[in-house]
Amino acid sequence: FFFFNDTATTEIYTEQIVGSVRCVQETGINAEYMGIIKKKSDKMARRFGGKKDGNKRGKGFEGEEWTPVTKLGRLVKMGKIETLEEIFRYALQIKEPQIIDHIMKENKLKEEVMQIKPVQKMTQAGQRTRFKACVVVGDGIGHVGLGTKVDKEAQGAIKGAILSAKLNIIPVRKGFWGNKIGQPHTVPYKVTGKGGSVRLRLVPAPRGTGIVGSPVPKKVLSFAGIQDCYTSSRGKSRTRLNLLIAVYDALASTYKFLSPDFWAKDEVDATPIERFHAVLNEKAKY
């Protein structure tokens, strides 16, 4: 379609083109040519991960029913896996963002766009400008994710960053400062994360202290459910993306160290994919 500065001219040309296409379809003129176009469109759909007639699996469009394409997604949709802890316990990789949406229906994820900026790339045709977005998601009870995306439009970059953050969601272990009274409220011990030149350290704090730090770590820690914490950073912390990566890495380190309360022997059992292999071998009824 051609678009002109004059709205009336644009509407006239659009009506003419739509009318000519309808005429071709009704009279059957150039049916061979129309068939060639249909084959090319199906070929392009298959090339970009879809099916004929534009039917896609997995991603789909907003509002459409989710059709899982991985074994983990099928188990989640069938109700065999109901919590994220079952996924993290067996180190199962999350490859579909709909898995997070399906499990966390009650505890809705909070989303925050931490940064969006234009980036440029020099090509033969000149400078190509795109937008880079960085998004943090979390439920406030021990799960947080960080994602980035580059796209031609700002809206597309934000949507892609949200999907990436859901795929990168991690569990955050919480602990106590002093006596174990009430619910866990701070990090279990001193942890350090790094991103680029930035080094960020999280130190446990007494109950009621709050999060002592700059706005960026404070937002990420609140999304993770940390209520009291001291922070200390080194390096070029004005680079926001590296600072976010450092906080995310520090929170991921809370489960990398086994404290004495984790020394008890744990029986090794089968993973959900092994336990429900008979169900997965059946043909998917979607």
Side-chain angles (χ1 to χ4, degrees):
F1 296 95
F2 298 93
F3 296 92
F4 301 90
N5 295 329
D6 186 9
T7 306
T9 307
T10 303
E11 292 178 355
I12 293 173
Y13 273 86
T14 304
E15 291 177 0
Q16 291 178 357
I17 294 172
V18 172
S20 60
V21 172
R22 189 182 296 112
C23 178
V24 169
Q25 292 177 346
E26 292 176 355
T27 58
I29 301 174
N30 268 341
E32 183 179 358
Y33 177 71
M34 297 295 290
I36 293 173
I37 294 178
K38 182 67 168 57
K39 289 181 180 179
K40 287 187 177 181
S41 63
D42 293 342
K43 185 177 180 180
M44 292 295 291
R46 288 193 298 269
R47 180 182 301 176
F48 290 101
K51 284 185 172 182
K52 291 183 179 181
D53 301 325
N55 296 328
K56 295 184 178 180
R57 298 178 60 201
K59 295 183 179 179
F61 298 97
E62 295 184 1
E64 291 186 0
E65 186 179 0
W66 170 43
T67 304
V69 295
T70 60
K71 292 182 179 180
L72 178 60
R74 291 174 59 189
L75 291 178
V76 169
K77 188 168 184 179
M78 288 187 290
K80 305 297 183 181
I81 297 178
E82 298 180 351
T83 60
L84 288 176
E85 281 66 27
E86 297 181 55
I87 299 176
F88 297 135
R89 173 180 171 82
Y90 300 99
L92 302 177
Q93 188 174 2
I94 301 174
K95 297 183 178 180
E96 298 178 84
Q98 293 87 350
I99 293 176
I100 304 298
D101 297 332
H102 193 275
I103 291 178
M104 308 188 72
K105 288 182 179 178
E106 298 180 358
N107 301 325
K108 190 175 181 181
L109 283 176
K110 295 181 290 184
E111 304 165 355
E112 183 77 19
V113 179
M114 302 301 296
Q115 184 184 37
I116 182 166
K117 63 178 182 179
V119 292
Q120 291 182 334
K121 177 182 178 181
M122 195 65 189
T123 62
Q124 293 181 353
Q127 291 182 345
R128 186 181 67 174
T129 303
R130 296 190 297 175
F131 293 93
K132 184 176 184 179
C134 184
V135 175
V136 173
V137 299
D139 58 356
I141 57 174
H143 301 100
V144 68
L146 174 67
T148 59
K149 177 66 176 178
V150 180
D151 196 83
K152 296 179 181 179
E153 298 180 0
Q155 185 178 4
I158 293 173
K159 288 184 178 180
I162 292 173
L163 297 180
S164 177
K166 290 179 180 179
L167 295 177
N168 296 329
I169 199 166
I170 58 171
V172 178
R173 183 184 170 196
K174 296 190 289 185
F176 298 90
W177 184 92
N179 295 331
K180 297 182 179 180
I181 301 175
Q183 297 295 326
H185 61 96
T186 184
V187 291
Y189 37 77
K190 298 176 184 178
V191 290
T192 304
K194 60 181 181 179
S197 65
V198 180
R199 302 293 183 270
L200 186 100
R201 192 183 193 198
L202 303 179
V203 182
R207 194 182 299 273
T209 303
I211 301 175
V212 181
S214 61
V216 173
K218 188 178 294 185
K219 177 66 69 174
V220 180
L221 292 173
S222 63
F223 274 28
I226 302 296
Q227 301 173 8
D228 309 290
C229 184
Y230 294 117
T231 63
S232 174
S233 63
R234 293 183 293 113
K236 194 74 171 179
S237 57
R238 284 194 299 175
T239 307
R240 180 165 297 186
L241 180 59
N242 288 345
L243 182 59
L244 288 168
I245 294 174
V247 181
Y248 178 80
D249 185 49
L251 292 175
S253 300
T254 56
Y255 268 110
K256 293 181 180 179
F257 177 78
L258 293 180
S259 56
D261 53 342
F262 276 77
W263 287 359
K265 291 185 178 180
D266 191 9
E267 297 182 359
V268 179
D269 53 351
T271 65
I273 295 178
E274 294 173 346
R275 282 188 278 120
F276 300 107
H277 70 279
V279 179
L280 293 173
N281 289 336
E282 297 179 359
K283 189 176 181 180
K285 299 179 180 179
Y286 297 119

